[in-house]
Amino acid sequence: MLVSSLSVLLCSLCANSQTVSVNQQPLKVIYPKPERAQESENWYPLVLLKFALEHSGRDHTLESSVKMVQSRSLKELEQGDLVNVAWSMTSIERERVFNPVRIPIYKGLYGLRLLLTTQDKLAKFANVTNLYSLRNIDFIQGHDWPDTVIIRDNGLSVSTSTTYEALYNMLLKGRGDAFPRSILEVDWELEQLGQQTNVQVVPNIALSYPAAIYYFVNSKRPDIHHAIQSGLEKMHENGEFDRLFTQYFADTIKNANLDEKTIVRLKNTHMSKLTPLENNQLWFKPN
């Protein structure tokens, strides 16, 4: 059903776009093939990228490189041969190396995190109400994720590994207490784990910190950067960005039951001063 609705949406986007291709060499846009095999052509950041390029009016091709973990994809992006665009959480350091399209593709919701834990550890969270009481919790995160630094900067303990499979194995084997996941990731990941797992969402706590996932472009490809940025801007202007975002995430946001949780706010000192936090159109604001 999602494939069908996306096809209708793509036709609508193409019909509504008023852009005209110019006589320029077609852009060859190459993104890293996702590490997780379950992610496909219907993956939101890839669909959004396709639509943004369509709205840009530039002739282009869009293809994946080989499968790679995030750390390798960023190294390849810096070189610009195997990969020339990728999407990742931003940081000051990453914005120095790559050319960021400063439009948060998930409206900042990767900074709103539910805590996944195992049933035997739920009691550890019963009396957690603030940042101080989280200091007895050992969090699990990817070793090169900006989130890892953010959590540590707030005085919390973090154990790390390199792949999603290894991180979930750590959680299942008790080598950590909680795996913070974006509210946009939790439903999908629990579905992939299946009914046999005892992983569940901590019912009373969520974390929140300023965060943005951007498209990053190789610094030597301003043409690709301009195409993506102009396409996303047009999608915001004509409402297609919000339409696509709602289609993918409205139910997921509702299922997070944020009104039932205490939201513990963390500081993020790794956001660039150029982050467009004042542009309310770009960010999700919970009721």
Side-chain angles (χ1 to χ4, degrees):
M1 184 172 181
L2 179 58
V3 175
S4 176
S5 59
L6 284 175
S7 298
V8 172
L9 178 57
L10 180 55
C11 292
S12 171
L13 289 171
C14 294
N16 290 336
S17 177
Q18 301 299 313
T19 58
V20 178
S21 296
V22 292
N23 293 324
Q24 295 172 304
Q25 198 74 5
L27 299 176
K28 184 178 182 181
V29 182
I30 312 172
Y31 64 92
K33 189 173 184 179
E35 174 191 355
R36 294 182 287 188
Q38 297 91 342
E39 288 161 338
S40 67
E41 294 297 308
N42 294 323
W43 194 21
Y44 169 77
L46 180 55
V47 172
L48 179 61
L49 180 59
K50 290 178 180 178
F51 290 170
L53 290 168
E54 290 291 336
H55 273 70
S56 75
R58 281 295 303 265
D59 289 333
H60 64 276
T61 60
L62 180 61
E63 60 188 65
S64 67
S65 66
V66 298
K67 185 183 295 187
M68 57 184 73
V69 298
Q70 184 180 100
S71 56
R72 182 188 171 191
S73 70
L74 294 177
K75 289 179 181 178
E76 296 294 348
L77 180 60
E78 187 172 2
Q79 297 298 319
D81 296 322
L82 285 180
V83 173
N84 55 33
V85 63
W87 46 91
S88 180
M89 185 173 290
T90 192
S91 67
I92 294 173
E93 293 76 16
R94 286 181 180 175
E95 292 187 27
R96 287 183 183 136
V97 177
F98 311 114
N99 196 0
V101 179
R102 290 191 176 90
I103 298 174
I105 67 175
Y106 288 100
K107 293 196 165 192
L109 282 179
Y110 266 68
L112 187 53
R113 300 252 160 174
L114 303 183
L115 304 182
L116 296 184
T117 191
T118 49
Q119 189 172 7
D120 59 303
K121 296 208 171 188
L122 276 176
K124 294 193 70 169
F125 300 90
N127 297 317
V128 172
T129 57
N130 53 39
L131 179 60
Y132 182 80
S133 53
L134 282 172
R135 293 185 176 179
N136 294 322
I137 304 298
D138 185 19
F139 292 96
I140 295 171
Q141 290 283 271
H143 82 100
D144 59 344
W145 296 357
D147 313 84
T148 303
V149 179
I150 293 168
I151 293 172
R152 283 178 173 155
D153 284 351
N154 282 269
L156 304 179
S157 173
V158 185
S159 298
T160 68
S161 191
T162 57
T163 68
Y164 288 99
E165 291 79 5
L167 293 167
Y168 272 106
N169 282 334
M170 288 175 65
L171 184 64
L172 291 168
K173 293 178 180 179
R175 297 174 183 168
D177 301 316
F179 188 9
R181 306 302 291 144
S182 163
I183 67 169
L184 303 183
E185 299 172 301
V186 166
D187 286 352
W188 185 88
E189 293 188 5
L190 288 178
E191 181 181 345
Q192 301 306 310
L193 288 172
Q195 296 181 350
Q196 302 303 316
T197 181
N198 65 344
V199 174
Q200 54 191 279
V201 177
V202 175
N204 57 310
I205 294 293
L207 305 181
S208 177
Y209 45 86
I213 289 186
Y214 292 151
Y215 292 118
F216 285 98
V217 181
N218 176 270
S219 60
K220 297 179 181 179
R221 295 304 305 267
D223 50 350
I224 295 176
H225 180 275
H226 180 266
I228 296 172
Q229 179 163 314
S230 65
L232 290 176
E233 288 173 348
K234 288 171 184 174
M235 291 183 69
H236 271 288
E237 290 168 3
N238 65 21
E240 299 293 1
F241 190 107
D242 284 343
R243 182 180 171 188
L244 183 67
F245 186 86
T246 299
Q247 179 174 335
Y248 268 86
F249 301 122
D251 289 343
T252 301
I253 294 169
K254 182 179 179 180
N255 292 342
N257 296 319
L258 294 174
D259 56 339
E260 300 176 3
K261 294 175 173 59
T262 297
I263 298 179
V264 179
R265 302 193 181 277
L266 308 183
K267 296 180 181 179
N268 180 2
T269 61
H270 299 271
M271 295 283 278
S272 165
K273 293 181 180 179
L274 297 175
T275 307
L277 293 172
E278 73 290 345
N279 188 343
N280 290 331
Q281 183 187 24
L282 301 182
W283 307 90
F284 176 83
K285 300 293 183 182
N287 293 330

